Structure formats: structure tokens, C-alpha cells
Amino acid sequence: MNKIIEIKGFTVNQLTHKPIATTSIKFEDLIKIVKFTARESSDFDPFKPMQNIEHLANKANDQYFQRLTNDDRVKGIYLYLIDEINNKFERKKNALGSFPTSIILAIDLNDQFESKDDYIKNVISLDKNDLIGAHFEINDRIITISILNRNNTLIVDGQHRLAAMLKLFNDAKEKNIKFGRKSLIEKYPNLNYDTILEYLNGFELNCTLLLGFDIWEQGKVFADVNFNQKPVNKSLYYDIFGSFPDPDKNDIFLAHMLVLHLNNNKDSVIKGYIKLLGTGSGYFSQAFFVEAILEHLKPKGIWADIPMDYLNEGKKFEILPKFLKSYLKSIKENFKDFWPKETYEKGQKYDSILVKTTGMGALIKLMSPIYRDLIRKKIDFNTIEETELKKEFDKILSPISDKGIHYFSKTSNFSGAGSLGLQNKLYQKLGEDIGYFKF
């Protein structure tokens, strides 16, 4: 059944070009308008033949930016809420259950209606599958928002709190709250399900409302809040901001696209090796690999001119997947004894460091002197085929291919936690043995 929910608050003056408002919203209203989302790892290959990389920004707008909710964190808030509801019900002085910081919500807007009455008249009878943005009016900084109960308001920050409240609400409705083997009445003899529902429905949450912010703008607020105020997985940051071509972050965009290609392309020897969003299976994280590639796109890097060329619709970026795939194929072939097996028998595990942070970090650093060497040899990266480029890498790496045990084995001097120091030491050793560095 369609219902218009009216939210009143007041606008705040901050450094934004779109309105921001603050208010309080009852939980029973909030759960009718919010949508729970999470960013998921992608199997998209941006450098796939015939793929138009220019449409990536549109594709990115279909993705979300929130991290997956953590079950343990939700459970902790869930138990905290029950305990505080009981304290409130028993009128204990230590009843301090509150969420003083704001839930941040992004409210989609529809500006085709001139008044609230016009909006209500036209949307109240919409089909249940029709999505429609909210209408708002501002009068002397007091804002009135009219919004359909359609669960299309995104949660920019605060998903764990709302997820815990919603789980408790649903469990209370179903009379299914348990504490291990104990029932609700065994744990809290004076508490019942109706009381929990009453307190939850009347619970008001402080909310900051972002009005009409698009996905990119919401993601930026999410990252600003989380990266400046509390720790969040860096792979998530690069996944969000690497999905949008942006004049200030073209290097991140290109590095992220390269990571997706190498992890998802069937011709890549590290297909499936990267922990996208920093989680799941793989040998090294998305954040590590993006940051390693970024070094080559910085002002003094071997590909320093590519981000600006890409911004000006140039095609220099096309050498990136060719270079990396050929280089990694050569590494796999020359140090095959230290490359992960396709399958491991029970009890076996990958214990070399070749495709772990230390090994990959050193080898990606090594691309700099190798690239400059090939430039001196007049290699044209735009026209050379991948197979021919791999042969050039083989010529460089084959003289040291019998020394893999000294570089990449679990007993090598470089085995251990993938610190930057170990990466640099291995990089120096590889460069010295090839003949790029002399000591």
C-alpha cells in the first residue's frame, strides 16, 4: 500500500552545491524508505576486445559503495539494544541506549512537481514497482520532505546500526529472540516482545540527509566520513574511486581498470589472484596492487604521461594491459617452480612468495628499469604483439631464472611479512643480478 511519509528538518550550510538537511526520523518510518546495499567484487574486464572503456562511468553508477555489513558487529549492536531496552523498561539509571551520531541518508529527488500537493496527488496511486524520488520544500531553512514508502533511500553511513535494529524488530515480530539456548524470558524475565517492538518503533534516529546526491557524490561522502574518521579497507576505497574517470584521479581510474582486467581476463596468468575489495580468495589485495601500479603513473613514473593523455581521449593507455600480461606470463614461465599450482592436494598450500605481496611488489617495481631498457632498445609498445613482447621479457629474465630459490622460496632472505622494506630489498637484488644496478 502506498503511503507518503513526511519528514521535517532544517537545512545546514556546508561546502556543498546540493542541499543537506538534518532531522530525526522514527525507526518505524525509516525502515519503510531505506535500502540496504553493499559493493560487490566485479568480474568485469574493462580491456576486453570491443569493450568501450568510455561507458565505465555509466556502469559505475549502477554500483554501490557501502562495505558489506559485518555479522559480528551487527550482533553486538543487536545485543546492546536488547540490554538497553531492558534497562529503560526497568527504569534503571544506567539506561543510556543511544546512537548520538547521525545516520547519513541519500534521498533521491523528483523535481517535476511544483508543490507537495501536486506530488502526492500524482504518486500516491503509482504501481508498487515504480520508483519515484522525493519532493521537498524549504521555507526559511525549515525543510519538508514528502517521500513514498518505496525503500529507495540509500544508507551512506550507518548500515550496521539499522541492520541490527531491523533484525531485532523482525525477530521480535516472529517471537524468535534467543541467547544461545536461553529464551528472551529466561534472559530478561520482565521483558516481552511487544515491549521491544514498542520501543523500537518509537526510537528516533539522528539523520543527515543528502538531497539529490548522485552515486559518485554519495561515495565521496562515504569515503570522507570513513577514511578520515575511522578505518575502512583501502581496497574498497580504490574500488569506489577507481570506477569513475575523474580529472583529479585519472591515475587511480586507470590502475583500477588494469587490476580488473588482470584479475578477470582469461588470458591473464593472475586471473583470480587478486582479493577484490580486500576480501575473499587470492594471493594479494586490490589495494596493494593498485598502489604498486600507481607508482608508475605518478609524475616521475614510466607512464607519467598516460593519465593526461587519457583525459584528452588519447590511446596510450592501451599499452598497459599488453605490457602487464606479457610481463607476468614471462615471470610465470621463468620461475614456474615458484608459481602457484592449478590445484593443491589436501594439506598442501602455496608457500613461495612470488605472487605474494613481497614478490609481486618487487617485480612491479622492476618494471621501471625494464621499461626504460626496452625504450632504449627502440621497442614500440603500441605496435608490438604480446607474444613478441613476452620474448623481450624472456631475454631479460632468463639469465636469472635459475635463481628463483634465492628470491622466492620460503627459505629465502626475502620470505616473511610483505613489508615495503623486503619488497625494496628483493627489487634491488633482482635489478643487481639482471645488471641494471651496480653496487
Side-chain angles (χ1 to χ4, degrees):
M1 177 181 176
N2 288 345
K3 180 182 177 183
I4 298 291
I5 295 170
E6 188 170 282
I7 301 167
K8 285 188 177 291
F10 63 90
T11 58
V12 292
N13 185 23
Q14 297 190 358
L15 303 176
T16 63
H17 65 286
K18 292 181 178 178
I20 292 180
T22 184
T23 187
S24 65
I25 305 176
K26 282 188 176 182
F27 171 74
E28 64 178 346
D29 288 333
L30 203 51
I31 59 174
K32 296 170 185 172
I33 66 171
V34 297
K35 176 179 182 178
F36 286 88
T37 61
R39 192 171 186 85
E40 298 177 351
S41 58
S42 172
D43 60 359
F44 177 64
D45 179 1
F47 289 99
K48 188 176 180 180
M50 305 304 294
Q51 178 66 62
N52 179 7
I53 200 169
E54 295 298 335
H55 91 291
L56 289 174
N58 293 328
K59 180 178 177 64
N61 278 327
D62 294 329
Q63 300 182 52
Y64 299 112
F65 46 83
Q66 297 91 340
R67 58 195 179 280
L68 288 167
T69 52
N70 179 286
D71 289 343
D72 289 339
R73 190 172 171 192
V74 169
K75 182 179 179 182
I77 299 171
Y78 177 100
L79 295 175
Y80 162 80
L81 282 166
I82 298 176
D83 202 45
E84 291 302 310
I85 287 173
N86 185 65
N87 289 340
K88 174 77 171 178
F89 181 71
E90 294 186 350
R91 299 185 179 180
K92 293 181 180 179
K93 290 184 178 180
N94 64 340
L96 298 173
S98 63
F99 296 140
T101 56
S102 287
I103 304 287
I104 303 178
L105 305 173
I107 294 184
D108 190 32
L109 297 178
N110 188 300
D111 57 5
Q112 69 185 90
F113 304 106
E114 294 184 1
S115 68
K116 180 176 73 172
D117 290 342
D118 189 28
Y119 172 84
I120 294 172
K121 181 175 67 176
N122 282 278
V123 305
I124 198 67
S125 60
L126 285 176
D127 181 87
K128 64 180 181 179
N129 295 318
D130 290 330
L131 291 178
I132 190 75
H135 175 81
F136 76 96
E137 295 177 345
I138 299 175
N139 184 13
D140 194 24
R141 297 190 64 184
I142 302 299
I143 187 168
T144 302
I145 300 168
S146 302
I147 184 169
L148 267 175
N149 55 339
R150 289 297 174 86
N151 296 108
N152 66 333
T153 292
L154 296 182
I155 308 163
V156 178
D157 195 58
Q159 289 215 123
H160 286 92
R161 282 167 279 172
L162 289 179
M165 293 185 78
L166 185 58
K167 176 172 172 50
L168 180 56
F169 179 81
N170 288 332
D171 286 353
K173 278 203 309 183
E174 295 171 6
K175 295 180 169 52
N176 187 36
I177 296 175
K178 293 186 179 299
F179 306 88
R181 294 184 178 181
K182 287 187 176 181
S183 65
L184 176 65
I185 196 159
E186 288 174 316
K187 179 76 172 177
Y188 297 102
N190 298 320
L191 202 57
N192 60 56
Y193 290 111
D194 289 338
T195 301
I196 291 174
L197 291 171
E198 180 184 348
Y199 277 118
L200 285 176
N201 280 327
F203 194 104
E204 294 182 341
L205 294 109
N206 298 327
C207 296
T208 296
L209 310 178
L210 311 178
L211 300 170
F213 281 50
D214 61 28
I215 289 290
W216 163 256
E217 293 163 333
Q218 293 170 37
K220 188 174 189 307
V221 172
F222 170 82
D224 288 344
V225 167
N226 285 287
F227 286 93
N228 293 330
Q229 299 175 27
K230 52 190 174 184
V232 170
N233 175 341
K234 285 184 77 176
S235 290
L236 178 61
Y237 174 88
Y238 287 123
D239 203 72
I240 293 169
F241 288 101
S243 296
F244 298 82
D246 179 75
D248 296 326
K249 292 186 172 66
N250 253 358
D251 52 350
I252 294 178
F253 173 74
L254 289 167
H256 173 63
M257 292 301 105
L258 189 55
V259 166
L260 284 182
H261 175 67
L262 293 171
N263 194 64
N264 297 331
N265 186 271
K266 64 181 178 62
D267 293 326
S268 168
V269 294
I270 62 166
K271 184 179 187 297
Y273 283 22
I274 303 172
K275 297 177 185 177
L276 294 182
L277 305 184
T279 61
S281 60
Y283 296 102
F284 47 85
S285 73
Q286 178 177 5
F288 152 73
F289 204 68
V290 168
E291 289 178 350
I293 297 296
L294 281 174
E295 288 299 313
H296 298 307
L297 295 167
K298 288 182 176 179
K300 293 184 179 180
I302 53 176
W303 296 320
D305 60 329
I306 289 181
M308 186 56 67
D309 179 75
Y310 176 76
L311 185 63
N312 292 316
E313 300 184 357
K315 298 296 182 181
K316 289 183 179 180
F317 71 90
E318 293 176 353
I319 73 170
L320 300 179
K322 181 193 302 184
F323 186 97
L324 263 294
K325 283 197 294 184
S326 303
Y327 180 56
L328 292 169
K329 282 179 183 176
S330 180
I331 290 169
K332 178 181 179 181
E333 187 172 301
N334 279 281
F335 301 106
K336 58 187 176 183
D337 291 340
F338 305 93
W339 196 266
K341 297 178 183 178
E342 293 296 325
T343 58
Y344 285 94
E345 295 179 6
K346 188 175 182 180
Q348 287 185 312
K349 66 177 184 178
Y350 179 65
D351 55 12
S352 299
I353 65 165
L354 177 57
V355 296
K356 293 182 180 177
T357 303
T358 299
M360 292 305 298
L363 289 163
I364 293 172
K365 288 177 185 292
L366 192 65
M367 292 192 318
S368 181
I370 288 177
Y371 183 84
R372 298 182 197 282
D373 184 18
L374 293 176
I375 289 290
R376 285 191 293 270
K377 292 176 181 176
K378 308 297 183 184
I379 298 297
D380 186 343
F381 292 103
N382 294 302
T383 59
I384 191 171
E385 296 292 331
E386 268 189 40
T387 53
E388 294 302 311
L389 184 55
K390 179 186 171 294
K391 290 178 183 178
E392 296 295 330
F393 291 130
D394 288 340
K395 291 176 189 176
I396 294 169
L397 296 176
S398 59
I400 63 168
S401 63
D402 61 345
K403 298 181 180 180
I405 193 169
H406 302 298
Y407 306 138
F408 307 118
S409 72
K410 64 179 179 180
T411 58
S412 76
N413 293 331
F414 311 102
S415 183
S419 68
L420 192 57
L422 281 177
Q423 291 176 44
N424 285 330
K425 287 179 181 178
L426 179 54
Y427 159 63
Q428 292 289 342
K429 180 61 175 170
L430 290 165
E432 180 183 357
D433 290 351
I434 289 173
Y436 290 138
F437 314 134
K438 298 188 183 300
F439 295 95

